[in-house]
């Protein structure tokens, strides 16, 4: 799959020394072929009712949507950050 990363907000965007994807950076992910945005909603949260005794409880399901609404905005909290 090919995805395009779009930074929604980046601190000091004009300063080349601060062009890092950090945990405070808001991003959207666009699927290049389908033109759908990765999206998530608290309405699709895994819980004991829809995923009994599974390790995904508390996590949100993601899907593709043709709208780049607020549901398509993500922020990374963990992981490695890449120079843009």
């Amino acid at each position: 799959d090919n995805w395009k990363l779009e930074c929604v907000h980046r601190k000091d965007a004009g300063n080349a020394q601060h062009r890092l994807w950090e945990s405070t950076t808001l991003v959207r992910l666009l699927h290049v072929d389908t033109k759908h945005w990765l999206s998530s909603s608290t309405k699709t949260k895994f819980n004991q009712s829809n995923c009994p005794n599974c390790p995904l409880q508390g996590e949100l399901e993601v899907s593709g949507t043709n709208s780049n609404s607020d549901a398509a905005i993500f922020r990374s909290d963990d992981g490695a950050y890449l120079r843009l």
Side-chain angles (χ1 to χ4, degrees):
D1 282 332
N2 293 316
W3 294 87
K4 178 182 175 184
L5 177 75
E6 176 185 284
C7 292
V8 177
H9 172 74
R10 182 171 52 228
K11 290 191 294 185
D12 298 327
N15 186 339
Q17 291 180 328
H18 295 286
R19 293 185 57 157
L20 296 176
W21 176 8
E22 301 174 316
S23 62
T24 57
T25 306
L26 301 177
V27 297
R28 288 187 176 107
L29 291 166
L30 177 67
H31 191 268
V32 174
D33 297 326
T34 65
K35 307 293 187 232
H36 279 76
W37 298 92
L38 192 68
S39 180
S40 186
S41 169
T42 56
K43 294 177 184 175
T44 58
K45 190 173 190 173
F46 290 102
N47 57 43
Q48 190 63 26
S49 297
N50 61 24
C51 190
N53 301 317
C54 77
L56 298 176
Q57 289 187 29
E59 301 294 330
L60 301 179
E61 184 177 22
V62 295
S63 61
T65 181
N66 59 1
S67 170
N68 66 351
S69 68
D70 287 349
I73 296 176
F74 293 88
R75 184 189 78 234
S76 60
D77 287 330
D78 297 315
Y81 301 102
L82 309 172
R83 185 168 296 279
L84 300 176

